[in-house]
Amino acid sequence: MVTPWEVKGEIDYDKLIDRFGTERVEESLLKRIQAVAGELHPLLTRGIFYSHRDMDWILDEYKRGNRFFLYTGRGPSSQVHVGHMLPWVFTKWLQDVMDVRLYFQITDDEKFLFRDFDRLAESTRVGYENVLDIIALGFDPERTRVIMDSKLIRRMYPLALRVARRITFSTVKAVFGFTPSSNVGEIFYTSIQAVPCFLESVRKGRNVPCLIPCGIDQDPHFRIARDVAPQLGYFKPALIHNKLVPSLRGMQAKMSASDPTSAIFVTDEAETAREHVMDAMTGGGATVEEHRKYGGKPEICPVYHYYAYFFEWDDDYLKEIYATCRSGSRLCGDCKAELADKVVSFLDRHQEKREEARDRVQEFMLTEEELPEHEPA
Ligand code: TRP
């Protein structure tokens, strides 16, 4: 089961492509991206960004000189873990190689409405904490605007209303599984998540293509936004979807903020993170003897996936990890210890940049003055 708010059980990613009606990221698309970008990110070549909507159109427009803008977001329910960062790392790469603007939406309203917090102020506070992690990733402040929903709502509201008027309750019920006991804010919320898709068109006073890198679980929101877009006179937003990051506890679950041992939080102390890695499930044999004899199963090993998702961009070395695991010569304890070292040095660097970001938050926040007061007629 996959909705934006709940992911249960092992995910069949091929099935999601069929069920959601998206396109697979094929070799031919990778070639086109490479031709335009000059390089390919490992998250593309490794099949982690694996599904899309209208990427071909985005590239066609780009080649004709019609630049798109990027849109992604964060629901600030907790501190950030490395799973949350995956689409952001990719978004940063896209911003750099394509030289485009980015809107980054922080949905403090969402996390209040969906009862992650009892007070909106708490949700907003966590939102600003999360902005530090976004800045620490190195986004360019000239081309990056962060939207704190509750702070910018005055300028977003006219667009949200135009979207909301075109979405029925039966649609959101079918798409998100709402029930009669869902609160009315939850029912309205998807209209808010649609707003940034059209914000650059409003700001510029002409239609600008939008590309959204996001977890595949967010696709339902944007199916609705795409249905509404032509009725509002805007382009449908294009999407590129990543697979969710597996839990350290095993591949059947995704990394989750509600189970801290399943995740590596970017604010974790080095020793906590090291423990979580050392306690992780692996695809190794039951005993060292068995492992040496039969080898391990990297396909079902969260530790191997961590190398592939975050900590090892060198393809040759990743292949070596895979091969030596399969052959049984690479032992799980050593493999985890090496990953833990990589994690700790990443956290060191990230936390330093995160602290430096504290003085720079305002540089990144979209303000009301940057947006027109009224919708174009
Ligand atoms: N709903 C998302 C979450 O809970 C946050 C979000 C808002 C988002 N806009 C987005 C995520 C655009 C991806 C792309 O995390």
Side-chain angles (χ1 to χ4, degrees), residues 332-363:
C332 296
D334 299 337
C335 190
K336 288 192 284 192
E338 185 183 329
L339 179 65
D341 286 342
K342 285 179 187 277
V343 167
V344 167
S345 70
F346 161 76
L347 292 181
D348 260 3
R349 264 176 295 132
H350 181 79
Q351 289 171 8
E352 197 176 306
K353 286 184 266 173
R354 189 176 193 280
E355 283 315 304
E356 287 165 14
R358 284 192 192 276
D359 302 329
R360 303 183 54 210
V361 172
Q362 286 320 315
E363 247 179 274

Side-chain angles (χ1 to χ4, degrees), residues 289-361:
E289 291 70 42
E290 270 187 36
H291 186 86
R292 288 217 186 271
K293 196 158 159 203
Y294 303 112
K297 298 192 182 73
E299 294 79 9
I300 59 156
C301 178
V303 172
Y304 175 75
H305 282 79
Y306 276 63
Y307 278 101
Y309 276 61
F310 297 106
F311 294 108
E312 194 44 71
W313 286 163
D314 176 343
D315 283 330
D316 290 335
Y317 189 56
L318 189 69
K319 281 193 194 120
E320 185 183 321
I321 295 174
Y322 184 92
T324 50
C325 170
R326 286 302 296 262
S327 75
S329 65
R330 185 179 177 88
L331 298 179
C332 296
D334 299 337
C335 190
K336 288 192 284 192
E338 185 183 329
L339 179 65
D341 286 342
K342 285 179 187 277
V343 167
V344 167
S345 70
F346 161 76
L347 292 181
D348 260 3
R349 264 176 295 132
H350 181 79
Q351 289 171 8
E352 197 176 306
K353 286 184 266 173
R354 189 176 193 280
E355 283 315 304
E356 287 165 14
R358 284 192 192 276
D359 302 329
R360 303 183 54 210
V361 172

Side-chain angles (χ1 to χ4, degrees), residues 103-339:
Y103 286 105
F104 205 122
Q105 183 180 38
I106 311 285
T107 57
D108 57 338
D109 50 352
E110 175 189 14
K111 296 302 155 181
F112 175 65
L113 289 170
F114 286 82
R115 300 189 193 287
D116 293 72
F117 298 103
D118 290 333
R119 293 181 57 243
L120 175 61
E122 187 56 13
S123 188
T124 310
R125 188 190 67 76
V126 175
Y128 282 114
E129 277 292 302
N130 293 174
V131 173
L132 301 178
D133 296 302
I134 294 162
I135 298 174
L137 280 179
F139 287 105
D140 172 6
E142 296 288 316
R143 293 175 302 175
T144 304
R145 299 330 275 147
V146 178
I147 299 164
M148 186 65 70
D149 276 354
S150 68
K151 302 290 178 194
L152 205 73
I153 192 62
R154 228 155 55 111
R155 287 293 195 277
M156 295 169 68
Y157 199 46
L159 253 176
L161 291 176
R162 287 166 67 204
V163 172
R165 207 166 80 138
R166 290 170 173 86
I167 306 173
T168 63
F169 176 58
S170 75
T171 295
V172 290
K173 182 163 165 275
V175 172
F176 301 114
F178 293 141
T179 67
S181 62
S182 303
N183 72 56
V184 294
E186 290 177 308
I187 293 159
F188 175 74
Y189 168 72
T190 195
S191 337
I192 299 280
Q193 188 156 327
V195 165
C197 302
F198 313 122
L199 213 50
E200 188 67 351
S201 301
V202 169
R203 193 181 71 92
K204 287 248 171 106
R206 64 173 170 83
N207 252 344
V208 188
C210 171
L211 173 62
I212 309 173
C214 64
I216 185 83
D217 59 319
Q218 295 296 313
D219 185 74
H221 284 296
F222 300 120
R223 279 196 311 265
I224 296 180
R226 284 169 58 86
D227 280 348
V228 171
Q231 303 173 49
L232 300 180
Y234 298 123
F235 294 136
K236 294 183 180 196
L239 294 121
I240 185 156
H241 307 104
N242 62 273
K243 297 178 182 169
L244 306 180
V245 175
S247 161
L248 281 169
R249 301 264 136 216
M251 303 291 292
Q252 307 78 351
K254 67 160 183 156
M255 195 177 253
S256 161
S258 51
D259 173 8
T261 67
S262 79
I264 295 161
F265 287 88
V266 297
T267 43
D268 275 346
E269 305 259 339
E271 280 325 297
T272 313
R274 188 180 295 281
E275 269 167 38
H276 289 171
V277 174
M278 295 311 291
D279 289 347
M281 280 273 299
T282 72
T287 63
V288 171
E289 291 70 42
E290 270 187 36
H291 186 86
R292 288 217 186 271
K293 196 158 159 203
Y294 303 112
K297 298 192 182 73
E299 294 79 9
I300 59 156
C301 178
V303 172
Y304 175 75
H305 282 79
Y306 276 63
Y307 278 101
Y309 276 61
F310 297 106
F311 294 108
E312 194 44 71
W313 286 163
D314 176 343
D315 283 330
D316 290 335
Y317 189 56
L318 189 69
K319 281 193 194 120
E320 185 183 321
I321 295 174
Y322 184 92
T324 50
C325 170
R326 286 302 296 262
S327 75
S329 65
R330 185 179 177 88
L331 298 179
C332 296
D334 299 337
C335 190
K336 288 192 284 192
E338 185 183 329
L339 179 65

Side-chain angles (χ1 to χ4, degrees), residues 15-187:
K15 223 191 236 156
L16 280 184
I17 285 193
D18 296 339
R19 221 178 80 201
F20 288 177
T22 67
E23 313 277 326
R24 190 176 304 281
V25 171
E26 308 272 12
E27 201 54 42
S28 55
L29 178 63
L30 294 185
K31 287 218 176 79
R32 291 198 68 199
I33 296 174
Q34 167 137 39
V36 174
E39 61 183 57
L40 283 177
H41 197 279
L43 290 170
L44 279 171
T45 51
R46 292 178 188 175
I48 295 163
F49 275 85
Y50 83 112
S51 152
H52 74 99
R53 293 180 189 272
D54 283 345
M55 270 305 288
D56 286 294
W57 170 72
I58 285 286
L59 294 173
D60 289 343
E61 291 294 312
Y62 188 87
K63 280 166 72 176
R64 292 176 35 210
N66 192 14
R67 223 165 260 232
F68 61 93
F69 72 99
L70 290 160
Y71 162 34
T72 194
R74 158 77 184 147
S77 54
S78 65
Q79 294 287 10
V80 166
H81 61 54
V82 293
H84 300 133
M85 298 253 261
L86 192 75
W88 310 350
V89 167
F90 184 67
T91 301
K92 155 92 169 87
W93 174 77
L94 278 174
Q95 177 175 66
D96 290 345
V97 296
M98 308 292 255
D99 187 20
V100 290
R101 275 172 65 93
L102 162 67
Y103 286 105
F104 205 122
Q105 183 180 38
I106 311 285
T107 57
D108 57 338
D109 50 352
E110 175 189 14
K111 296 302 155 181
F112 175 65
L113 289 170
F114 286 82
R115 300 189 193 287
D116 293 72
F117 298 103
D118 290 333
R119 293 181 57 243
L120 175 61
E122 187 56 13
S123 188
T124 310
R125 188 190 67 76
V126 175
Y128 282 114
E129 277 292 302
N130 293 174
V131 173
L132 301 178
D133 296 302
I134 294 162
I135 298 174
L137 280 179
F139 287 105
D140 172 6
E142 296 288 316
R143 293 175 302 175
T144 304
R145 299 330 275 147
V146 178
I147 299 164
M148 186 65 70
D149 276 354
S150 68
K151 302 290 178 194
L152 205 73
I153 192 62
R154 228 155 55 111
R155 287 293 195 277
M156 295 169 68
Y157 199 46
L159 253 176
L161 291 176
R162 287 166 67 204
V163 172
R165 207 166 80 138
R166 290 170 173 86
I167 306 173
T168 63
F169 176 58
S170 75
T171 295
V172 290
K173 182 163 165 275
V175 172
F176 301 114
F178 293 141
T179 67
S181 62
S182 303
N183 72 56
V184 294
E186 290 177 308
I187 293 159

